[in-house]
Amino acid sequence: MTTRGRFITLEGGEGAGKSTQARYIRDWLEARGRQVLLTREPGGSPLAEAIRHLVLGDWAEGIAPSTETLLMFAARAAHWNTTIKPALAAGRDVVSDRFVDSSYAYQGGRKGITERRLRMLERMVLGKRKPDVTLLFDIDPELGLRRTQERGDDNNRFEQEALDFQRRVREIFLARAQAEPERFVVIDASREPEAVSAAVAEALAARLGFVGPPSA
Ligand code: TYD
């Protein structure tokens, strides 16, 4: 019988360097003999990628917080059912660059989207399933936004969100981490990428029970 793979999610505000660390984690797990699926949200399946295009698009009519929320969860439902769940069942580890905590932080940070409603949607899409480990890449929003500007990432409207909004996002992420310490590891993402990777490796070894050096 195959044992189920481990589900690792990466969360954080803009400019926290999640995507670089996601690739590092894939390589780290593969070096330990694991089969790994690296994916992201919104997106991660053909239908979910199509919804990503819709939800991150710049529409003349704007996008209401409720529309945005429902599209995020619609994408997640497709991603979960057709990509993540089958991979975990087949014994692969899944590393997702963002997942449901991003909806609590970003959509929950907007007016009118209560935590209760987000919990209802989470329950509808995921049941009681949660990631095994969630790494929260925590960074001062001012530094994070400066980094994204240096990268020239101004092609989607999320990157243009005000600093105040990013502060709110950070607060929600940190509050969630505090409420679920058995799932979250908070990583200081203000450091150099190598130092962040070292903290990631330490967290994964501790949380996933890896001992010793990687297998050859
Ligand atoms: P992306 O370009 O992938 O940015 P990042 O490198 O920051 O992950 O854009 C994803 C954007 O979507 C990001 O600004 C956060 C937002 N988002 C939500 O608002 N809600 C969600 O549930 C998810 C998964 C992402």
Side-chain angles (χ1 to χ4, degrees):
M1 204 185 85
T2 330
T3 50
R4 196 179 62 77
R6 265 79 57 97
F7 183 27
I8 299 154
T9 60
L10 283 66
E11 300 283 7
E14 314 296 305
K18 281 180 294 86
S19 309
T20 307
Q21 299 302 330
R23 291 189 295 273
Y24 172 81
I25 294 169
R26 177 197 53 204
D27 297 347
W28 191 92
L29 288 166
E30 283 178 355
R32 281 151 186 83
R34 306 290 308 173
Q35 288 203 333
V36 184
L37 175 77
L38 180 58
T39 185
R40 66 160 179 191
E41 285 205 348
S45 82
L47 174 55
E49 288 289 332
I51 298 171
R52 177 188 176 93
H53 172 73
L54 296 177
V55 72
L56 299 184
D58 199 3
W59 303 99
E61 70 197 72
I63 185 165
S66 55
T67 310
E68 183 180 278
T69 303
L70 292 168
L71 285 173
M72 289 294 179
F73 276 94
R76 183 161 300 124
H79 186 211
W80 173 251
N81 287 305
T82 62
T83 303
I84 302 177
K85 217 162 111 179
L88 293 173
R92 297 173 79 191
D93 291 337
V94 175
V95 178
S96 187
D97 187 348
R98 295 196 182 282
F99 195 61
V100 70
D101 297 295
S102 278
S103 292
Y104 284 92
Y106 283 79
Q107 280 65 59
R110 299 189 200 287
K111 278 203 176 66
I113 308 295
T114 61
E115 195 184 338
R116 193 174 143 266
R117 287 187 174 172
L118 293 167
R119 265 197 255 116
M120 263 168 47
L121 290 168
E122 178 181 11
R123 181 62 66 91
M124 179 176 159
V125 171
L126 303 171
K128 289 191 173 171
R129 230 4 218 109
K130 297 219 178 243
D132 296 301
V133 183
T134 298
L135 302 176
L136 173 56
F137 293 88
D138 180 54
I139 191 164
D140 178 340
E142 219 161 315
L143 178 58
L145 284 177
R146 214 178 310 136
R147 282 188 185 170
T148 63
Q149 280 154 9
E150 281 162 14
R151 268 198 331 233
D153 282 12
D154 55 0
N155 56 344
N156 78 55
R157 62 193 182 76
F158 285 96
E159 316 282 9
Q160 292 153 26
E161 293 288 0
L163 202 53
D164 278 354
F165 179 66
Q166 282 298 314
R167 292 203 174 104
R168 177 95 197 97
V169 163
R170 184 189 199 191
E171 264 172 39
I172 298 173
F173 274 136
L174 287 171
R176 293 183 67 72
Q178 208 169 21
E180 286 182 76
E182 64 295 339
R183 174 162 73 90
F184 276 91
V185 182
V186 181
I187 308 254
D188 172 4
S190 66
R191 297 168 291 176
E192 291 301 309
E194 296 72 28
V196 176
S197 294
V200 165
E202 195 183 318
L204 290 181
R207 295 294 173 109
L208 301 177
F210 282 103
V211 282
S215 51

